[in-house]
Amino acid sequence: MGKKDEVSNRFLQAIEFRGINRRDFLKYCGVTAALIGLSELHAPKIAATLEKAAKRPPVIWLNFASCSGCTEAFIKASYPTAADVILDILSVNYNETIMAASGNQVEEVLAQNRKAGGYILIVEGGVPTKKEFGMIGGKEMLEVLKEMAGPAVAVVAIGSCATDGGVPAAKPNPAKIIGTEAALATLGIKKPLINLDRCAQNPDYLVGVVVNYLLLKKLPELDKLGRPMMYYGQSIHDNCERRAHFDGGRFVEKFGTKEESLQYCLYKVGCKGPMTYSACPKIQDNGHTSWCVKAGAPCLGCAERGWTDKFAGFYEPLPGVEIPGRGGVEAGADKIGAVAAVATAAGIAIHAVATKASGRTKGKDGGEK
Ligand code: SF4
């Protein structure tokens, strides 16, 4: 038996140990192919790549100021879970939320990995910069980041708390929490950084980044906020299943109404989908079964920077987005139903304004940047 076959067999035994059979594993690879923009025909290639990932890259997963919802989403997804697959592709050496050890034992794990270096650092949670507002093992979280980011080969900021502070950094932000990118800049540390904005993060985004790297040997194309274009290149509004209702002027005006039961557009009850860029409608959560709007909740815009303050109140229509010639969103949305054909143009106009507001422009290939 060749070395590659041995590695492949070890991988298959490992996933079987977790109760995943080969058929389900291939199915998962098919879904993953779609997540990174490939045809499902690439599933066997992805399976082979994962099986032959001879040396599992080490990962250190730090938890700072957050609810640990991204870790929860990671370990409690559908079958097979992202964790099932990731834990067999990567060597997650440290994640204090899910590891059994504690105290000096885990401090030792961190010290050993720091010395060895060469790991991928995943950061979950914002970084408090006010003294004694966020400490681990007697050290400031900023100090822990400094120690662990230095020897890392790359950093992944998972969830909106990690990218810009998220919920813990909402006004008045007493702990002066900042995101990973800002914290690294404060510390003068330069590392390749991937930002995975969302609250909580969908674990499939992380799987896609890892598989993309193993398959293509490079990091995915990023937008100007350091987010993979394959997940953040289009707005939620662009792919929303309720978009026809928006274009047709059919809105939920109030919860508990007939319009709500008919699953009309949630724009008037606060949906931030027109200004939010994420693949939520395409990938969906909980094993690709549902997402916020499908479940009847307006998008809160949690994949956008500063969303907690920028998009509050969450159940108010987006301010400042004008439908040309209609005197503002509210006026425009009221009139849209009467002239559905013009409304389609209005929807496109909203997208254009949102695109401008988010700073995206068209790239040479016509894709948004
Ligand atoms: Fe969907 Fe929200 Fe856009 Fe309506 S406003 S189409 S619910 S994303």
Side-chain angles (χ1 to χ4, degrees):
M1 189 186 289
K3 198 170 177 191
K4 278 187 178 173
D5 292 333
E6 276 178 41
V7 170
S8 176
N9 278 346
R10 271 208 307 277
F11 181 85
L12 290 174
Q13 281 165 7
I15 62 170
E16 274 167 22
F17 176 75
R18 292 176 190 279
I20 306 167
N21 62 41
R22 170 123 190 118
R23 196 170 160 196
D24 288 335
F25 176 61
L26 275 172
K27 201 169 150 198
Y28 186 87
C29 291
V31 173
T32 303
L35 296 184
I36 61 175
L38 299 174
S39 133
E40 285 194 20
L41 296 174
H42 285 79
K45 197 173 173 193
I46 289 177
T49 303
L50 297 182
E51 288 164 7
K52 288 169 188 168
K55 192 163 180 273
R56 297 191 305 158
V59 167
I60 298 295
W61 186 313
L62 296 176
N63 289 83
F64 293 143
S66 72
C67 68
S68 299
C70 296
T71 296
E72 287 286 329
F74 176 67
I75 59 176
K76 287 186 179 166
S78 61
Y79 167 80
T81 69
D84 283 327
V85 174
I86 285 282
L87 291 172
D88 286 317
I89 306 169
L90 305 174
S91 174
V92 181
N93 294 349
Y94 182 96
N95 179 326
E96 62 202 25
T97 307
I98 57 175
M99 63 200 300
S102 62
N104 289 338
Q105 245 180 328
V106 295
E107 287 300 308
E108 186 53 31
V109 173
L110 272 189
Q112 283 169 5
N113 279 276
R114 193 163 57 237
K115 200 169 162 199
Y119 48 79
I120 298 164
L121 182 66
I122 296 180
V123 178
E124 177 179 357
V127 186
T129 56
K130 197 162 177 186
K131 288 262 178 248
E132 297 183 6
F133 270 66
M135 306 190 73
I136 300 173
K139 286 181 194 163
E140 298 285 342
M141 288 177 175
L142 188 63
E143 181 67 21
V144 176
L145 179 66
K146 183 181 176 185
E147 286 181 358
M148 298 311 295
V153 286
V155 181
V156 178
I158 190 165
S160 74
C161 300
T163 58
D164 77 343
V167 172
K171 285 177 187 163
N173 192 7
K176 300 280 174 266
I177 287 171
I178 56 177
T180 307
E181 190 167 9
L184 291 176
T186 302
L187 296 166
I189 296 174
K190 285 189 180 165
K191 291 283 166 185
L193 172 70
I194 294 178
N195 286 316
L196 298 178
D197 296 67
R198 256 191 50 146
C199 179
Q201 184 48 269
N202 183 324
D204 288 315
Y205 284 41
L206 180 61
V207 173
V209 168
V210 172
V211 169
N212 188 84
Y213 179 74
L214 291 175
L215 202 63
L216 306 175
K217 303 280 177 264
K218 61 175 188 180
L219 296 179
E221 186 191 356
L222 304 177
D223 68 7
K224 67 174 188 147
L225 295 175
R227 313 180 302 181
M229 286 294 291
M230 58 189 180
Y231 298 137
Y232 299 92
Q234 290 182 310
S235 78
I236 283 180
H237 192 60
D238 282 340
N239 293 300
C240 180
E241 63 224 40
R242 301 193 187 207
R243 177 61 184 267
H245 289 309
F246 177 91
D247 292 344
R250 296 180 292 275
F251 296 95
V252 176
E253 305 271 349
K254 215 174 150 197
F255 290 111
T257 57
K258 185 175 151 222
E259 287 74 20
E260 186 191 4
S261 67
L262 290 169
Q263 301 185 7
Y264 284 178
C265 172
L266 298 165
Y267 173 74
K268 287 193 168 188
V269 284
C271 185
K272 308 299 185 287
M275 286 192 75
T276 304
Y277 283 71
S278 176
C280 306
K282 287 210 264 185
I283 295 180
Q284 308 199 10
D285 300 301
N286 301 328
H288 319 285
T289 56
S290 190
W291 64 292
C292 299
V293 167
K294 190 173 185 177
C299 164
L300 299 186
C302 72
E304 290 300 318
R305 297 291 161 89
W307 67 277
T308 48
D309 296 330
K310 185 167 76 181
F311 290 149
F314 294 137
Y315 297 100
E316 299 297 322
L318 273 171
V321 180
E322 289 190 11
I323 299 173
R326 289 181 173 272
V329 159
E330 278 301 291
D334 282 339
K335 292 174 189 167
I336 282 169
V339 196
V342 182
T344 304
I348 294 165
I350 276 205
H351 171 73
V353 173
T355 299
K356 194 175 170 197
S358 68
R360 287 176 178 80
T361 55
K362 291 282 179 193
K364 281 183 195 157
D365 59 356
E368 285 167 348
K369 296 271 179 189

